[in-house]
Amino acid sequence: MARSNRQPSRERTSRTTVYETLRQKVLTLELPPGAALSENELAASLGVSRTPVRESLILLSQEGLVQVFPQVGSFVSRVDPAKVADAQFIREAVELASLEDLPADLAPDLVQDLRANLEEQRRPDLGLEEFFALDEAFHQGLLRLSGHGNAWATVVAAKGHLDRARRLGLYENASPARFAAQHAEIFDAVLGGNAASARTAMRTHLRAVFDDVERIRARSPELFATNSQTVPVRRNVVVWE
Amino acid sequence: MARSNRQPSRERTSRTTVYETLRQKVLTLELPPGAALSENELAASLGVSRTPVRESLILLSQEGLVQVFPQVGSFVSRVDPAKVADAQFIREAVELASLEDLPADLAPDLVQDLRANLEEQRRPDLGLEEFFALDEAFHQGLLRLSGHGNAWATVVAAKGHLDRARRLGLYENASPARFAAQHAEIFDAVLGGNAASARTAMRTHLRAVFDDVERIRARSPELFATNSQTVPVRRNVVVWE
DNA sequence: CTATCAGTACTGGTATACAAGCAGCGGTCG
DNA sequence: CGACCGCTGCTTGTATACCAGTACTGATAG
């Protein structure tokens, strides 16, 4: 067997790379909702054994991004509108609350980072994935302003379903410019110390994508969970060679 | 053909029981912060193989309750004051936000549950663990009133460090009566439709334990993480028999 | 033709074997 | 005496073997 580059020195284990790879593929919809994930197939394609793959799937399962049915199969979770709503509620609660804790004088370096971030968002040739990365950094940066940057990890863990819905929405109308403008509006209100309008702008912004979910659902229902209990279906194993 | 309502027949796996057992022992401080967790020892004592134990430790590690150092060992995380603060912030944000979403007419059955819960909390011979269980149910019940019951799972995942600090505090003064009274106060304000006083009462309540953390830390510093980088130390393996 | 029922190939769950790294002990050599 | 260095026993990481359960397939009986 070909032995891959062995370098498990510290913290960089096979499991972490497999986990990050799979998580990214799920969030970017490269692995679409409903896709079957075979531990054996993933292990073979990633060049590792079942163990790290399996442990990654367990982690993703705890995040709600993957569903594991014993003796049946593992599947990318369909986007659950209820979970999208939950994530929306949590995110709004946390981000709005952080605006209340903004200090009188903001940390200059954090402000500078946010400014540069907004500048990047205005680039006309921005790709969607680039915009998502900037968006993530922007919102985490806002949390940092009030000293609650670590809370972002919790928000991230909860908003997997929301993120996939967001991507579905952006893949359709593909207009990050509108969100970039909203970001700038929030930022200006924060800089001006106008807490009330910052709250309003933030709430408007966070609900913009959320309101699109039903529209997307009507167009691509197969990506969403049915209200009834999700049913695992083993796909036909028809291989031509 | 009607597809049979397939429910995950074997949700009860070794891993889930091991995970729940370990998590409970960590939260109740039966496994105190800093304790060494050997996968082999745990497997032997629980009567299973390393696999489910290991997978449980990975899950607990993702929750921040356990730290795993490759090739060194696994340890129960020391209570991190920063994470306690993060959990406090998130919990306060979510629970206060839910109060804003309370419907005009509350669901009668949920109200009845909460009323019975509060009645239980008044029992004079209530044990600490019983009180904790009631406390959890009460707060989740409040979230349910506003239709955000599922958000509790996210709060639970984030508040592991906070819970351990709470237990440390309660083990000392052991007066759940004060918290029970605060619960009743919140509930009365909710029933009366007085959103403002409900918010105030909730905030006061949630911060009561939090303010005790520093006092506890002064008395039992070994249970808390040092601000400097935590250093894993392999304990001496001296066994007399 | 239809219904039934084994066969079978797959699934994830668990147990086990082996690999690689860290720390302390104690002998050895300068 | 002191620095070094391999031995030893532990740790977690990974690979693999085996198990129980499930669903599709296809032959077979009615």
Side-chain angles (χ1 to χ4, degrees):
Chain A
M1 161 180 299
R3 177 160 300 186
S4 50
N5 43 353
R6 172 168 310 284
Q7 193 174 336
S9 56
R10 192 88 172 198
E11 210 61 36
R12 261 350 256 191
T13 66
S14 290
R15 171 162 55 85
T16 59
T17 64
V18 169
Y19 168 73
E20 289 164 6
T21 301
L22 288 179
R23 187 171 195 280
Q24 196 63 19
K25 287 187 178 179
V26 169
L27 290 184
T28 62
L29 306 177
E30 181 180 337
L31 286 173
L37 301 173
S38 162
E39 295 182 356
N40 281 313
E41 287 180 17
L42 289 175
S45 71
L46 295 173
V48 296
S49 83
R50 266 185 65 198
T51 306
V53 171
R54 171 179 173 76
E55 291 171 350
S56 298
L57 287 183
I58 289 173
L59 287 175
L60 293 171
S61 157
Q62 188 177 247
E63 285 186 64
L65 293 178
V66 162
Q67 283 179 296
V68 179
F69 299 93
Q71 274 68 42
V72 176
S74 303
F75 307 85
V76 178
S77 301
R78 292 190 148 79
V79 179
D80 185 341
K83 287 189 178 175
V84 174
D86 292 337
Q88 170 70 19
F89 168 70
I90 290 166
R91 180 176 192 179
E92 191 173 304
V94 167
E95 298 210 38
L96 290 181
S98 83
L99 292 179
E100 316 243 344
D101 290 357
L102 282 173
D105 46 346
L106 307 173
D109 52 340
L110 295 179
V111 170
Q112 182 52 36
D113 287 348
L114 285 171
R115 212 185 295 274
N117 183 302
L118 282 176
E119 195 62 33
E120 275 287 300
Q121 290 186 35
R122 285 200 199 85
R123 275 179 45 205
D125 60 333
L126 205 61
L128 278 183
E129 291 304 326
E130 295 172 291
F131 173 75
F132 270 110
L134 288 172
D135 180 88
E136 293 267 307
F138 177 77
H139 283 276
Q140 184 177 17
L142 277 185
L143 283 179
R144 266 202 265 263
L145 278 182
S146 56
H148 294 121
N150 290 332
W152 183 246
T154 297
V155 175
V156 166
K159 76 185 177 60
H161 284 251
L162 179 59
D163 277 352
R164 294 191 295 170
R166 292 185 64 200
R167 278 193 164 78
L168 287 171
L170 274 189
Y171 285 165
E172 287 214 345
N173 52 16
S175 63
R178 175 161 136 256
F179 296 116
Q182 290 177 340
H183 286 162
E185 188 180 351
I186 298 169
F187 188 57
D188 289 342
V190 167
L191 283 188
N194 193 337
S197 60
R199 275 183 67 92
T200 305
M202 175 69 87
R203 182 174 269 139
T204 301
H205 169 57
L206 291 182
R207 294 192 178 176
V209 183
F210 181 63
D211 290 340
D212 283 355
V213 172
E214 278 307 317
R215 183 176 58 78
I216 308 296
R217 187 183 184 184
R219 189 171 305 193
S220 305
E222 75 280 5
L223 302 179
F224 288 79
T226 59
N227 351 15
S228 65
Q229 187 74 327
T230 56
V231 182
V233 179
R234 177 171 297 183
R235 64 276 181 210
N236 284 352
V237 190
V238 183
V239 179
W240 305 81
E241 47 184 288
Chain B
M1 137 153 195
R3 200 181 300 274
S4 61
N5 285 4
R6 168 155 317 292
Q7 215 139 350
S9 54
R10 288 200 57 77
E11 278 286 308
R12 274 340 266 193
T13 66
S14 291
R15 188 184 76 232
T16 59
T17 64
V18 168
Y19 167 73
E20 289 164 5
T21 301
L22 288 180
R23 188 171 195 277
Q24 197 62 18
K25 287 187 177 179
V26 169
L27 290 184
T28 62
L29 305 178
E30 181 180 338
L31 285 172
L37 301 173
S38 164
E39 294 180 357
N40 281 313
E41 287 181 17
L42 290 175
S45 71
L46 294 174
V48 295
S49 83
R50 265 186 66 201
T51 306
V53 171
R54 171 179 172 76
E55 291 172 350
S56 298
L57 288 183
I58 289 173
L59 288 176
L60 293 170
S61 156
Q62 187 177 246
E63 284 186 63
L65 293 178
V66 162
Q67 284 178 293
V68 178
F69 299 93
Q71 276 68 40
V72 176
S74 303
F75 307 85
V76 178
S77 300
R78 294 191 146 80
V79 180
D80 186 338
K83 288 188 178 175
V84 174
D86 292 337
Q88 170 69 19
F89 168 70
I90 290 167
R91 180 177 191 178
E92 192 172 304
V94 168
E95 299 211 35
L96 289 181
S98 84
L99 292 179
E100 317 241 346
D101 289 357
L102 283 173
D105 47 346
L106 307 172
D109 52 339
L110 296 179
V111 170
Q112 183 52 36
D113 286 349
L114 286 170
R115 212 186 294 274
N117 182 302
L118 283 176
E119 194 62 33
E120 274 288 299
Q121 289 186 35
R122 287 201 197 86
R123 276 179 44 205
D125 60 333
L126 204 62
L128 277 183
E129 290 305 326
E130 294 172 294
F131 174 74
F132 270 111
L134 287 172
D135 180 89
E136 294 267 307
F138 177 77
H139 283 276
Q140 184 177 17
L142 276 185
L143 283 179
R144 265 202 265 262
L145 278 181
S146 56
H148 294 122
N150 290 333
W152 183 246
T154 298
V155 175
V156 166
K159 76 184 175 64
H161 283 250
L162 178 59
D163 277 351
R164 295 191 293 170
R166 292 185 65 197
R167 279 193 164 75
L168 287 171
L170 274 189
Y171 286 165
E172 286 213 346
N173 52 17
S175 63
R178 175 160 136 257
F179 295 116
Q182 290 177 340
H183 286 162
E185 188 181 351
I186 297 168
F187 188 56
D188 289 342
V190 168
L191 283 189
N194 193 336
S197 59
R199 275 183 67 91
T200 305
M202 175 68 87
R203 183 175 268 139
T204 302
H205 169 57
L206 291 181
R207 294 193 177 176
V209 183
F210 181 63
D211 290 340
D212 281 357
V213 172
E214 277 307 314
R215 182 175 58 78
I216 308 297
R217 186 183 184 183
R219 190 172 302 196
S220 306
E222 76 280 3
L223 301 178
F224 287 78
T226 59
N227 350 15
S228 66
Q229 186 74 322
T230 57
V231 181
V233 179
R234 176 171 298 184
R235 62 278 182 205
N236 282 351
V237 189
V238 183
V239 178
W240 305 83
E241 49 182 282

